[in-house]
Amino acid sequence: MKQSFQRYNIIINQTLQWMVFIYQIAAVVTFMIGIYLGVRWVQMPFLGAFVEHSMVFNGVGPAEPSAAWKLFREVKLGDQLVKINDIPVTDNLQIQGILQKYFPGESISITVRSEDGQERVLAITLHKFPPSDRTTYFVIPSILNFLFLVISWWIFGLRRTETAGRAFSLFATSLAIVIGSIFDVYTTHVITYVWTLSIGVAGGALVTLALSFPQELRLTLERPYLRWTGLLLGLALAFLAFPNLYNFDDPTAYIKNWQYNYIFVAISGLFFIFLNLHHSFYASSPVVKTQARLILWGASLSFGPMLLWLLVSFIRPLNFSPYLFLPLLLFPLVVAYTIMRFRFVRSGNWLRQGLIYAMFAVVILVGYALLVTGMGLISTFALAGLIPANSPVWVGITFFLIALFFDAIRTY
């Protein structure tokens, strides 16, 4: 009987590992597809506002719109694009098929339908998608996507046999998809279903992580299936949103479904913080207390801005900025370090040494720039340009001073 139970646990464990592994593979494929589609999209003329999968303008744009975002100032969330040059459009392929015949600087007409059914025709001038907005909406999310995937694969490779390791990998992978695919949701709409699914998985994985790390609750030890109840709820919310994603009869219906997913992730984050707060005060193990307090700091700094946005956006639609994703990178780094900290005895020393050398690298770069600039000025004004700023003499003196300073600080 005992052997049968152990064999059953092994099969379940291996099945869960394969499921997480397949999900991670899908995230990598999604990442590559998103990069390819994004590079193609930014080369096309820009309408002046983002249009989502049901042809609804999503109200996302810069705080101070440039001339390229003129349409963004003339439409609002809920307005629907129905025609371009009197040609009906129902998906991005049709939009791009029309726009590829034009060049930035040329004018076209678009027909916009408001939520009350009123239509109006707007004359707009096409522009290139601004480079600064390309960085904000495409480059930064893509970099964060890659970093989250690296963290996810790292922890999965080391702790895939444990519930906490699998839950963390699921959560980090889901964040990678949510962040990296946001540009596709705004533009080409190829990964919209996967993006919606990953929001639910992120919330569910966070619940599982809260129940299993840094200390597993007695309730889930006695009933292991409860660990994945959050994930089932997240998947259910995601699947409930699917029918409304391309509902052209009610083009804004999907927004309410997404808001339910947002509030689920927000509640999952608060649940995670609450359990770690409990562990930080009442855990019997000092190791668990230390881990919980470290996680609390990371979660508070990382989730704070995003949780605030999620809660407010549930009440009323709120303009989203991709810069809200930047603090999120801190959380998986802190949790990954906490998971691995007591696995490798010297991990704390490695982290401190890494921070020290990173600080010294910055000091060296700044010091070199200042010394070279100062010597260049001395050479120009005091020595009448007799010794150029790029002289080997100046370079040698500069590196000697930096090495002397660095060695003394390093030794200390």
Side-chain angles (χ1 to χ4, degrees), residues 192-330:
T192 302
Y193 281 109
V194 179
W195 188 84
T196 303
L197 180 68
S198 64
I199 296 176
V201 174
L206 194 56
V207 172
T208 303
L209 186 61
L211 293 172
S212 58
F213 184 81
Q215 184 178 44
E216 188 156 7
L217 299 181
R218 182 179 301 176
L219 181 65
T220 56
L221 284 174
E222 297 172 353
R223 301 172 179 84
Y225 57 86
L226 292 178
R227 300 168 185 163
W228 303 102
T229 53
L231 187 61
L232 293 175
L233 179 58
L235 290 173
L237 288 172
F239 286 126
L240 286 174
F242 282 178
N244 282 329
L245 290 180
Y246 289 88
N247 183 359
F248 286 91
D249 294 329
D250 188 2
T252 60
Y254 73 94
I255 296 177
K256 183 61 67 176
N257 290 108
W258 278 0
Q259 288 175 332
Y260 290 141
N261 281 270
Y262 298 158
I263 198 65
F264 172 64
V265 174
I267 292 174
S268 299
L270 293 174
F271 178 69
F272 182 85
I273 292 174
F274 172 78
L275 280 187
N276 277 275
L277 187 64
H278 173 79
H279 293 321
S280 68
F281 284 103
Y282 300 108
S284 57
S285 168
V287 172
V288 173
K289 286 185 176 181
T290 301
Q291 290 177 317
R293 289 168 184 171
L294 184 59
I295 290 172
L296 275 175
W297 279 105
S300 300
L301 295 174
S302 182
F303 286 152
M306 183 62 74
L307 284 176
L308 181 62
W309 182 87
L310 288 171
L311 291 172
V312 174
S313 66
F314 179 73
I315 300 172
R316 64 181 182 87
L318 190 66
N319 189 11
F320 179 79
S321 171
Y323 286 106
L324 288 170
F325 287 140
L326 291 176
L328 291 179
L329 185 61
L330 179 64

Side-chain angles (χ1 to χ4, degrees), residues 16 19-21 23-24 152 156 164-176 198 201-202 204-206 208 228 231:
L16 292 174
M19 291 173 65
V20 176
F21 177 73
Y23 187 63
Q24 289 178 310
S152 170
F156 182 74
R166 292 192 295 268
F168 176 83
S169 296
L170 271 179
F171 177 69
T173 304
S174 297
L175 279 184
S198 64
V201 174
L206 194 56
T208 303
W228 303 102
L231 187 61

